[in-house]
Amino acid sequence: MDIKQIQDLIKFVHKSGVNEVSIEENDFKITIKTNQTPTLVSASIPAAVPVAAASAPVAAAPAAAAAPAVSESDNYLTIKSPMIGTFYRSASPDKPSFVNVGDEIKAGQVLCVVEAMKLFNEIEAEISGRIVKVLVDNASPIEYDQPLFLVEPV
């Protein structure tokens, strides 16, 4: 890990609201602690996660699929974020959005990308349905379990 990646990690930890993050990679170990009160219950990153370059395209291995939760309004399901990071509606600024309001989605379809520590994670749908509302603006920071999409099941 170079100094720039460590600085980015410190900024990320500060913004996320967690108190402590530890990362171990082979012979390298880093622990970052803050004095702020935590806003998340817990956040853990597997030690085997490689740090990708800033210009890396979407990671080949998709992240765990976002778990749907029943919404209070009507009979919509809420797709929530499985991690903290930055929410992107498309793979890059010049590409179209993965999904838009009104689109039919199928289980396993990529809905968005969440960037965490310079690693781009594809978030896949666990359900089939129709996108009713996108709840997050593009390039916005998101937290674990934050609602991202409202879906009308089919």
Side-chain angles (χ1 to χ4, degrees):
M1 220 177 205
D2 65 16
I3 191 72
K4 176 71 172 131
Q5 290 172 318
I6 293 171
Q7 289 171 337
D8 288 344
L9 180 60
I10 291 169
K11 288 177 189 172
F12 180 76
V13 169
H14 178 71
K15 287 180 186 177
S16 70
V18 295
N19 271 351
E20 182 176 338
V21 171
S22 295
I23 297 176
E24 291 183 47
E25 293 179 355
N26 300 330
D27 60 343
F28 178 80
K29 179 178 179 179
I30 185 169
T31 301
I32 299 172
K33 296 180 183 180
T34 64
N35 292 330
Q36 59 191 0
T37 53
T39 56
L40 300 175
V41 176
S42 70
S44 64
I45 300 170
V49 173
V51 178
S55 62
V58 174
V70 177
S71 173
E72 295 174 12
S73 62
D74 300 320
N75 289 324
Y76 299 144
L77 296 177
T78 304
I79 295 179
K80 296 183 178 184
S81 175
M83 65 183 62
I84 58 175
T86 303
F87 172 87
Y88 293 105
R89 294 191 60 193
S90 61
S92 66
D94 58 332
K95 303 266 180 171
S97 296
F98 289 109
V99 293
N100 293 302
V101 173
D103 288 356
E104 294 288 327
I105 60 168
K106 293 184 168 71
Q109 179 178 344
V110 176
L111 302 175
C112 63
V113 175
V114 176
E115 176 192 6
M117 293 179 46
K118 306 217 184 220
L119 185 64
F120 293 84
N121 302 280
E122 293 180 339
I123 306 303
E124 298 177 348
E126 281 191 349
I127 56 170
S128 296
R130 183 179 59 83
I131 299 288
V132 175
K133 187 171 186 180
V134 180
L135 302 170
V136 181
D137 292 329
N138 192 43
S140 298
I142 57 171
E143 295 193 18
Y144 171 76
D145 215 28
Q146 179 176 341
L148 303 176
F149 300 94
L150 275 183
V151 176
E152 180 179 36
V154 214

